[in-house]
Amino acid sequence: MAQTDRLHSFRIRVSRDDLAAWEQAAQAANLNRTSWLRSLAADAAAGTRHPGILAGEIRALRRELSACGNNLNQIAHKMNAGGRADPEAALDRLGDLMGEVSAFLHDAHAPKRKGGSRTRRRAAG
């Protein structure tokens, strides 16, 4: 058996809900829970990921999208009531936001590691 440089382990207490969420996130990343947690810790230590900052960016993005939706609803209401409105500015801003959302989602994907997935492969039986 090959010797590993992983000589330390630790235990943490989490709620069942947190554990279930972590399991789901690990599966979505095609990793087992240990590998997923290790990759998060390594990314945080390297400064490449900051979950608190990411959560703040998501909240800000939701506020922006909500504001755009409200503006579009106001324009539609005014136009349906026979009023005049210039939707051009709102549509331009919506297009900009769609680009920002796309870039954000692209950046949020974890980079793939060399050698592909680190999940355990089941032996064909």
Side-chain angles (χ1 to χ4, degrees):
M1 178 179 269
Q3 197 167 14
T4 180
D5 63 346
R6 295 183 181 132
L7 303 175
H8 303 281
S9 65
F10 63 94
R11 293 174 50 119
I12 58 173
R13 294 175 189 240
V14 298
S15 70
R16 285 187 179 99
D17 290 342
D18 286 342
L19 182 60
W22 294 359
E23 289 286 353
Q24 187 176 6
Q27 283 181 343
N30 291 322
L31 297 170
N32 63 37
R33 184 180 59 221
T34 300
S35 295
W36 180 76
L37 287 168
R38 189 180 297 119
S39 71
L40 286 179
D43 287 347
T48 57
R49 281 186 145 186
H50 301 283
I53 293 171
L54 182 61
E57 288 175 352
I58 290 171
R59 278 192 300 277
L61 187 59
R62 284 183 174 171
R63 278 192 301 272
E64 283 281 333
L65 289 172
S66 179
C68 282
N70 289 338
N71 288 342
L72 287 174
N73 283 338
Q74 289 172 4
I75 290 168
H77 179 73
K78 187 171 183 177
M79 292 181 82
N80 286 335
R84 292 181 169 223
D86 180 16
E88 201 66 34
L91 292 174
D92 286 344
R93 182 61 184 136
L94 187 59
D96 291 344
L97 273 174
M98 289 173 64
E100 289 176 31
V101 169
S102 179
F104 176 83
L105 293 174
H106 182 269
D107 291 345
H109 285 100
K112 295 201 178 208
R113 296 184 185 336
K114 283 186 177 178
S117 173
R118 293 185 180 216
T119 57
R120 291 184 196 162
R121 301 193 194 279
R122 293 183 183 173

